[in-house]
PDB file of all heavy atoms in Angstrom:
ATOM      1  N   HIS A 596      11.599  31.751 -72.503  1.00  0.00           N
ATOM      2  CA  HIS A 596      10.952  32.524 -71.452  1.00  0.00           C
ATOM      3  C   HIS A 596      10.090  33.647 -72.075  1.00  0.00           C
ATOM      4  O   HIS A 596      10.388  34.133 -73.162  1.00  0.00           O
ATOM      5  CB  HIS A 596      11.988  33.152 -70.507  1.00  0.00           C
ATOM      6  CG  HIS A 596      12.706  32.141 -69.681  1.00  0.00           C
ATOM      7  ND1 HIS A 596      13.779  31.389 -70.158  1.00  0.00           N
ATOM      8  CD2 HIS A 596      12.506  31.742 -68.389  1.00  0.00           C
ATOM      9  CE1 HIS A 596      14.231  30.573 -69.210  1.00  0.00           C
ATOM     10  NE2 HIS A 596      13.447  30.784 -68.114  1.00  0.00           N
ATOM     11  N   SER A 597       9.040  34.014 -71.324  1.00  0.00           N
ATOM     12  CA  SER A 597       8.184  35.151 -71.718  1.00  0.00           C
ATOM     13  C   SER A 597       8.571  36.337 -70.881  1.00  0.00           C
ATOM     14  O   SER A 597       8.559  36.268 -69.638  1.00  0.00           O
ATOM     15  CB  SER A 597       6.706  34.809 -71.516  1.00  0.00           C
ATOM     16  OG  SER A 597       5.914  35.952 -71.738  1.00  0.00           O
ATOM     17  N   THR A 598       8.874  37.442 -71.534  1.00  0.00           N
ATOM     18  CA  THR A 598       9.379  38.622 -70.820  1.00  0.00           C
ATOM     19  C   THR A 598       8.280  39.645 -70.527  1.00  0.00           C
ATOM     20  O   THR A 598       8.519  40.615 -69.813  1.00  0.00           O
ATOM     21  CB  THR A 598      10.479  39.289 -71.651  1.00  0.00           C
ATOM     22  OG1 THR A 598       9.915  39.722 -72.907  1.00  0.00           O
ATOM     23  CG2 THR A 598      11.617  38.314 -71.908  1.00  0.00           C
ATOM     24  N   LYS A 599       7.085  39.474 -71.075  1.00  0.00           N
ATOM     25  CA  LYS A 599       6.017  40.455 -70.891  1.00  0.00           C
ATOM     26  C   LYS A 599       4.739  39.771 -70.432  1.00  0.00           C
ATOM     27  O   LYS A 599       4.559  38.568 -70.634  1.00  0.00           O
ATOM     28  CB  LYS A 599       5.740  41.221 -72.195  1.00  0.00           C
ATOM     29  CG  LYS A 599       6.891  42.081 -72.649  1.00  0.00           C
ATOM     30  CD  LYS A 599       6.520  42.862 -73.915  1.00  0.00           C
ATOM     31  CE  LYS A 599       7.658  43.743 -74.383  1.00  0.00           C
ATOM     32  NZ  LYS A 599       7.299  44.509 -75.607  1.00  0.00           N
ATOM     33  N   SER A 600       3.894  40.579 -69.812  1.00  0.00           N
ATOM     34  CA  SER A 600       2.583  40.089 -69.397  1.00  0.00           C
ATOM     35  C   SER A 600       1.663  40.060 -70.626  1.00  0.00           C
ATOM     36  O   SER A 600       1.507  41.062 -71.328  1.00  0.00           O
ATOM     37  CB  SER A 600       1.979  40.977 -68.319  1.00  0.00           C
ATOM     38  OG  SER A 600       0.691  40.526 -67.968  1.00  0.00           O
ATOM     39  N   LEU A 601       1.042  38.913 -70.886  1.00  0.00           N
ATOM     40  CA  LEU A 601       0.220  38.721 -72.074  1.00  0.00           C
ATOM     41  C   LEU A 601      -1.262  38.780 -71.714  1.00  0.00           C
ATOM     42  O   LEU A 601      -1.649  38.478 -70.574  1.00  0.00           O
ATOM     43  CB  LEU A 601       0.544  37.380 -72.726  1.00  0.00           C
ATOM     44  CG  LEU A 601       2.013  37.166 -73.110  1.00  0.00           C
ATOM     45  CD1 LEU A 601       2.206  35.804 -73.748  1.00  0.00           C
ATOM     46  CD2 LEU A 601       2.488  38.258 -74.067  1.00  0.00           C
ATOM     47  N   ASP A 602      -2.066  39.173 -72.718  1.00  0.00           N
ATOM     48  CA  ASP A 602      -3.521  39.262 -72.542  1.00  0.00           C
ATOM     49  C   ASP A 602      -4.174  38.391 -73.602  1.00  0.00           C
ATOM     50  O   ASP A 602      -4.066  38.660 -74.805  1.00  0.00           O
ATOM     51  CB  ASP A 602      -3.994  40.709 -72.672  1.00  0.00           C
ATOM     52  CG  ASP A 602      -5.465  40.858 -72.297  1.00  0.00           C
ATOM     53  OD1 ASP A 602      -6.119  39.839 -71.995  1.00  0.00           O
ATOM     54  OD2 ASP A 602      -5.958  42.009 -72.312  1.00  0.00           O
ATOM     55  N   ARG A 603      -4.834  37.301 -73.143  1.00  0.00           N
ATOM     56  CA  ARG A 603      -5.442  36.373 -74.085  1.00  0.00           C
ATOM     57  C   ARG A 603      -6.550  37.039 -74.894  1.00  0.00           C
ATOM     58  O   ARG A 603      -6.809  36.662 -76.040  1.00  0.00           O
ATOM     59  CB  ARG A 603      -6.016  35.175 -73.325  1.00  0.00           C
ATOM     60  CG  ARG A 603      -6.453  34.026 -74.246  1.00  0.00           C
ATOM     61  CD  ARG A 603      -7.438  33.139 -73.552  1.00  0.00           C
ATOM     62  NE  ARG A 603      -8.684  33.848 -73.314  1.00  0.00           N
ATOM     63  CZ  ARG A 603      -9.656  33.953 -74.203  1.00  0.00           C
ATOM     64  NH1 ARG A 603      -9.520  33.424 -75.407  1.00  0.00           N
ATOM     65  NH2 ARG A 603     -10.752  34.600 -73.915  1.00  0.00           N
ATOM     66  N   GLU A 604      -7.224  38.028 -74.294  1.00  0.00           N
ATOM     67  CA  GLU A 604      -8.327  38.677 -74.987  1.00  0.00           C
ATOM     68  C   GLU A 604      -7.830  39.539 -76.153  1.00  0.00           C
ATOM     69  O   GLU A 604      -8.617  39.872 -77.039  1.00  0.00           O
ATOM     70  CB  GLU A 604      -9.146  39.520 -74.025  1.00  0.00           C
ATOM     71  CG  GLU A 604     -10.040  38.726 -73.071  1.00  0.00           C
ATOM     72  CD  GLU A 604      -9.233  37.960 -72.029  1.00  0.00           C
ATOM     73  OE1 GLU A 604      -8.228  38.528 -71.540  1.00  0.00           O
ATOM     74  OE2 GLU A 604      -9.597  36.807 -71.715  1.00  0.00           O
ATOM     75  N   GLN A 605      -6.549  39.887 -76.126  1.00  0.00           N
ATOM     76  CA  GLN A 605      -5.972  40.624 -77.243  1.00  0.00           C
ATOM     77  C   GLN A 605      -5.363  39.697 -78.287  1.00  0.00           C
ATOM     78  O   GLN A 605      -5.508  39.920 -79.475  1.00  0.00           O
ATOM     79  CB  GLN A 605      -4.911  41.613 -76.745  1.00  0.00           C
ATOM     80  CG  GLN A 605      -5.483  42.735 -75.888  1.00  0.00           C
ATOM     81  CD  GLN A 605      -4.431  43.755 -75.484  1.00  0.00           C
ATOM     82  OE1 GLN A 605      -3.243  43.589 -75.795  1.00  0.00           O
ATOM     83  NE2 GLN A 605      -4.854  44.782 -74.752  1.00  0.00           N
ATOM     84  N   LYS A 606      -4.661  38.626 -77.828  1.00  0.00           N
ATOM     85  CA  LYS A 606      -4.072  37.649 -78.763  1.00  0.00           C
ATOM     86  C   LYS A 606      -4.051  36.298 -78.066  1.00  0.00           C
ATOM     87  O   LYS A 606      -3.522  36.169 -76.973  1.00  0.00           O
ATOM     88  CB  LYS A 606      -2.659  38.078 -79.174  1.00  0.00           C
ATOM     89  CG  LYS A 606      -2.090  37.273 -80.326  1.00  0.00           C
ATOM     90  CD  LYS A 606      -0.793  37.900 -80.834  1.00  0.00           C
ATOM     91  CE  LYS A 606      -0.207  37.092 -81.995  1.00  0.00           C
ATOM     92  NZ  LYS A 606      -1.097  37.091 -83.171  1.00  0.00           N
ATOM     93  N   THR A 607      -4.641  35.316 -78.710  1.00  0.00           N
ATOM     94  CA  THR A 607      -4.809  33.997 -78.073  1.00  0.00           C
ATOM     95  C   THR A 607      -3.602  33.086 -78.249  1.00  0.00           C
ATOM     96  O   THR A 607      -3.369  32.210 -77.415  1.00  0.00           O
ATOM     97  CB  THR A 607      -6.041  33.301 -78.656  1.00  0.00           C
ATOM     98  OG1 THR A 607      -5.876  33.143 -80.071  1.00  0.00           O
ATOM     99  CG2 THR A 607      -7.293  34.128 -78.392  1.00  0.00           C
ATOM    100  N   HIS A 608      -2.796  33.257 -79.294  1.00  0.00           N
ATOM    101  CA  HIS A 608      -1.645  32.381 -79.501  1.00  0.00           C
ATOM    102  C   HIS A 608      -0.627  33.075 -80.405  1.00  0.00           C
ATOM    103  O   HIS A 608      -0.953  34.069 -81.077  1.00  0.00           O
ATOM    104  CB  HIS A 608      -2.086  31.050 -80.135  1.00  0.00           C
ATOM    105  CG  HIS A 608      -2.641  31.195 -81.510  1.00  0.00           C
ATOM    106  ND1 HIS A 608      -3.950  31.563 -81.755  1.00  0.00           N
ATOM    107  CD2 HIS A 608      -2.053  31.032 -82.742  1.00  0.00           C
ATOM    108  CE1 HIS A 608      -4.150  31.626 -83.037  1.00  0.00           C
ATOM    109  NE2 HIS A 608      -3.010  31.311 -83.666  1.00  0.00           N
ATOM    110  N   TYR A 609       0.556  32.497 -80.403  1.00  0.00           N
ATOM    111  CA  TYR A 609       1.665  33.032 -81.197  1.00  0.00           C
ATOM    112  C   TYR A 609       2.271  31.886 -81.995  1.00  0.00           C
ATOM    113  O   TYR A 609       2.450  30.775 -81.482  1.00  0.00           O
ATOM    114  CB  TYR A 609       2.737  33.650 -80.297  1.00  0.00           C
ATOM    115  CG  TYR A 609       2.253  34.867 -79.538  1.00  0.00           C
ATOM    116  CD1 TYR A 609       1.595  34.709 -78.326  1.00  0.00           C
ATOM    117  CD2 TYR A 609       2.461  36.145 -80.033  1.00  0.00           C
ATOM    118  CE1 TYR A 609       1.148  35.806 -77.620  1.00  0.00           C
ATOM    119  CE2 TYR A 609       2.015  37.258 -79.320  1.00  0.00           C
ATOM    120  CZ  TYR A 609       1.359  37.090 -78.121  1.00  0.00           C
ATOM    121  OH  TYR A 609       0.907  38.178 -77.431  1.00  0.00           O
ATOM    122  N   VAL A 610       2.631  32.135 -83.227  1.00  0.00           N
ATOM    123  CA  VAL A 610       3.239  31.139 -84.120  1.00  0.00           C
ATOM    124  C   VAL A 610       4.715  31.499 -84.276  1.00  0.00           C
ATOM    125  O   VAL A 610       5.037  32.608 -84.709  1.00  0.00           O
ATOM    126  CB  VAL A 610       2.532  31.115 -85.482  1.00  0.00           C
ATOM    127  CG1 VAL A 610       3.194  30.089 -86.407  1.00  0.00           C
ATOM    128  CG2 VAL A 610       1.053  30.800 -85.322  1.00  0.00           C
ATOM    129  N   LEU A 611       5.599  30.522 -83.893  1.00  0.00           N
ATOM    130  CA  LEU A 611       7.040  30.762 -83.964  1.00  0.00           C
ATOM    131  C   LEU A 611       7.717  29.646 -84.752  1.00  0.00           C
ATOM    132  O   LEU A 611       7.120  28.575 -84.996  1.00  0.00           O
ATOM    133  CB  LEU A 611       7.653  30.844 -82.558  1.00  0.00           C
ATOM    134  CG  LEU A 611       7.196  32.035 -81.707  1.00  0.00           C
ATOM    135  CD1 LEU A 611       6.080  31.619 -80.783  1.00  0.00           C
ATOM    136  CD2 LEU A 611       8.356  32.635 -80.922  1.00  0.00           C
TER     137      LEU A 611
END
Side-chain angles (χ1 to χ4, degrees):
H596 291 81
S597 173
T598 62
K599 295 183 180 180
S600 178
L601 303 180
D602 188 357
R603 190 201 67 85
E604 286 70 39
Q605 294 184 356
K606 191 170 180 64
T607 59
H608 65 278
Y609 295 86
V610 179
L611 294 97

